[in-house]
Amino acid sequence: MRRTTIILMLWMLALAGMAQTVISGHVMSRLTESPMGDAEVHVGGTNISVITNEDGFFSLKLQETPRMIYISALGHKTSVVDCSTMPDLQNVNVWLAADGVMLNTVFAYSPENIIEKALEKIPQNFTPKEECLTGFYRETVKKKNHFTNINEAVISIFKTGYKHDIDRDKVQVIKGRSLMSQKTSDTLSIKIMGGPHEAVLLDMVKNRDILFYEKDIPAYRFKMEEGTIIDGRPQFVISFYAIGFREYPLYSGTIYIDMERIAFTRIEAALDVSDVPKAVEFMLVKKPRGLRFRPKGLTTTVSFHYDGEYSRLHYVRNIYLFNCDWKRRLFATSYKVVSEIVVTDYKESPVPKSSKGMFGHNDTLSSDIADFNDVTFWKDYNILEPSESLENAVRKLKKRQ
């Protein structure tokens, strides 16, 4: 009888462990009356958060129903949702109002001084601890107007504190899945810069060689723009563009810096691809002989989340635009590759000393995806939900197989 009771208790505990609360819905902007892509949905009292897709949709998978969730987006007031008052947690629709806070447009410092101060304060504004970030990675390849490849993975991002550089930071793929077009003509055997290792390489605050390399800063001109609000906090908005010459391509874009903390919040950067040979050398890792690769654009967005004590990496997106053609063909084919990483949780954890089993910057997820495939794995992990167009693309790809 006692043994039966113990087994029953273990079974009930197992069921309790498997129980899951799903909170989903849409985030809309009252200012534009349109869906809010890239809005952050954060679970109060935890490290758990997700990003809305381009349709403004989000989905959170939790072990228990939280009390509050917080929704924030660039230039909008943060909205707080009391889950206990929601009749349907899988249909949470939130409208974000534009933030009408008047920002002081008279500054005592030049934009160059503000950026210099933000760089100096990285060790105190960004986490000094070794941590493991749980991230979701998605990569889509679009040929002309249809998707040809979709790769997804749950990754562990091991990061040292921000007083160190990225030399010891590592990425490990936990599980992955892929859907590829079976048409031979859709196959593109090239490798461009990117992959899950972007979580290390594109942390522009920690990897200062990308944008804030000391010798490159004089090659940029900075301009103060009208301030804005992110997550309820006033931000300096500084635009920049290249005025100098380097042997590698430079960027133009916008930097958002927390006014109170003088901490980087968000960076949007577009690579100058006007010098084609330099852009090709920067973007392209490998291609077949005879294939011509012509870059048309590369834009990068990196954002950081502030937890009330420190900031850390939260979201990375790269959009590659390029044409490919064979030397004897008359017309080129346009491609768009979008890769995204969203950090959904984090915890203190030592960075592994060994690189064995880690995902390197030269590794390709699509070629190794079979090693990580597990269809039953994904139900417990928070991910960046696919947009409606991506879901349609998946259905079309399945029909073509």
Side-chain angles (χ1 to χ4, degrees):
M1 179 67 179
R2 182 184 176 191
R3 182 181 178 185
T4 303
T5 303
I6 292 174
I7 292 174
L8 182 60
M9 289 177 63
L10 289 174
W11 179 73
M12 291 176 66
L13 286 171
L15 285 178
M18 289 187 292
Q20 192 178 75
T21 296
V22 177
I23 303 175
S24 59
H26 288 83
V27 179
M28 306 287 290
S29 169
R30 291 196 183 279
L31 179 65
T32 63
E33 297 186 349
S34 60
M36 291 288 299
D38 296 347
E40 179 184 352
V41 184
H42 179 75
V43 180
T46 75
N47 303 327
I48 300 170
S49 62
V50 294
I51 296 288
T52 58
N53 65 17
E54 63 186 30
D55 298 317
F57 181 71
F58 71 91
S59 179
L60 280 164
K61 302 168 187 176
L62 306 165
Q63 294 303 314
E64 58 184 11
T65 303
R67 182 181 175 187
M68 301 285 186
I69 58 172
Y70 299 82
I71 298 94
S72 58
L74 178 66
H76 290 71
K77 293 181 179 179
T78 298
S79 180
V80 182
V81 175
D82 185 346
C83 296
S84 64
T85 64
M86 297 300 298
D88 183 4
L89 289 176
Q90 296 188 35
N91 191 29
V92 179
N93 295 315
V94 180
W95 286 83
L96 295 185
D99 202 309
V101 175
M102 296 297 294
L103 300 175
N104 184 7
T105 57
V106 180
F107 307 111
Y109 301 100
S110 68
E112 290 84 358
N113 293 143
I114 295 172
I115 289 174
E116 181 181 358
K117 188 66 174 178
L119 291 171
E120 289 177 1
K121 295 187 68 174
I122 287 173
Q124 68 185 77
N125 282 329
F126 288 77
T127 178
K129 309 167 187 175
E130 292 192 352
E131 294 182 332
C132 176
L133 283 58
T134 299
F136 175 75
Y137 172 81
R138 173 181 291 133
E139 177 183 276
T140 61
V141 179
K142 197 173 186 179
K143 177 183 177 182
K144 294 184 179 178
N145 295 318
H146 68 275
F147 289 91
T148 66
N149 197 4
I150 301 168
N151 298 309
E152 298 178 323
V154 170
I155 60 177
S156 292
I157 308 162
F158 297 97
K159 295 180 75 71
T160 56
Y162 275 74
K163 64 181 179 180
H164 303 289
D165 56 28
I166 65 168
D167 288 349
R168 290 179 52 215
D169 294 1
K170 298 176 175 66
V171 174
Q172 183 179 35
V173 175
I174 307 303
K175 293 293 179 183
R177 57 187 176 184
S178 179
L179 186 63
M180 300 178 64
S181 171
Q182 299 301 304
K183 290 184 65 176
T184 306
S185 60
D186 284 340
T187 303
L188 181 67
S189 17
I190 68 167
K191 184 179 188 312
I192 53 177
M193 182 186 69
H197 207 258
E198 287 178 344
V200 171
L201 295 178
L202 292 181
D203 184 343
M204 293 185 180
V205 168
K206 197 172 188 185
N207 186 15
R208 291 168 60 171
D209 286 351
I210 296 182
L211 186 60
F212 299 115
Y213 181 48
E214 186 176 357
K215 293 182 179 180
D216 283 346
I217 291 181
Y220 288 106
R221 177 163 292 171
F222 300 92
K223 179 185 176 183
M224 191 72 72
E225 306 289 352
E226 184 179 351
T228 190
I229 300 290
I230 299 179
D231 201 12
R233 300 183 65 85
Q235 307 286 322
F236 291 116
V237 180
I238 300 172
S239 62
F240 65 95
Y241 59 94
I243 57 172
F245 173 83
R246 294 294 185 270
E247 295 180 354
Y248 40 85
L250 298 174
Y251 289 90
S252 61
T254 308
I255 301 169
Y256 301 82
I257 297 176
D258 188 297
M259 286 187 181
E260 179 185 346
R261 301 171 61 234
I262 315 298
F264 293 102
T265 301
R266 182 181 174 96
I267 301 170
E268 301 166 353
L271 189 74
D272 179 8
V273 297
S274 59
D275 189 324
V276 174
K278 287 199 298 187
V280 169
E281 185 176 358
F282 182 86
M283 293 172 60
L284 186 64
V285 177
K286 185 179 180 180
K287 72 174 181 67
R289 180 177 297 182
L291 182 72
R292 290 185 292 196
F293 176 87
R294 301 174 183 272
K296 296 298 181 182
L298 168 57
T299 57
T300 301
T301 301
V302 184
S303 68
F304 304 88
H305 177 71
Y306 175 51
D307 67 358
E309 183 179 12
Y310 296 113
S311 295
R312 57 183 51 78
L313 183 70
H314 182 58
Y315 181 64
V316 179
R317 180 179 64 215
N318 250 357
I319 301 177
Y320 304 85
L321 301 174
F322 56 90
N323 289 350
C324 282
D325 66 338
W326 296 92
K327 291 183 179 179
R328 295 184 179 181
R329 292 186 182 176
L330 184 60
F331 299 106
T333 303
S334 62
Y335 287 89
K336 179 179 181 179
V337 178
V338 180
S339 60
E340 295 177 285
I341 296 169
V342 57
V343 173
T344 58
D345 204 355
Y346 61 89
K347 62 181 178 181
E348 286 190 45
S349 175
V351 175
K353 294 181 179 179
S354 172
S355 294
K356 185 178 180 181
M358 298 297 167
F359 200 90
H361 69 277
N362 286 323
D363 294 333
T364 305
L365 184 61
S366 58
S367 61
D368 299 328
I369 202 77
D371 298 336
F372 309 109
N373 191 41
D374 182 353
V375 295
T376 64
F377 173 81
W378 299 83
K379 64 181 187 299
D380 295 328
Y381 278 83
N382 289 301
I383 64 173
L384 177 66
E385 291 292 329
S387 64
E388 189 67 29
S389 60
L390 183 55
E391 289 179 343
N392 290 335
V394 169
R395 286 193 288 270
K396 291 177 183 177
L397 279 177
K398 287 181 177 178
K399 289 179 180 179
R400 295 168 67 184
Q401 290 181 2

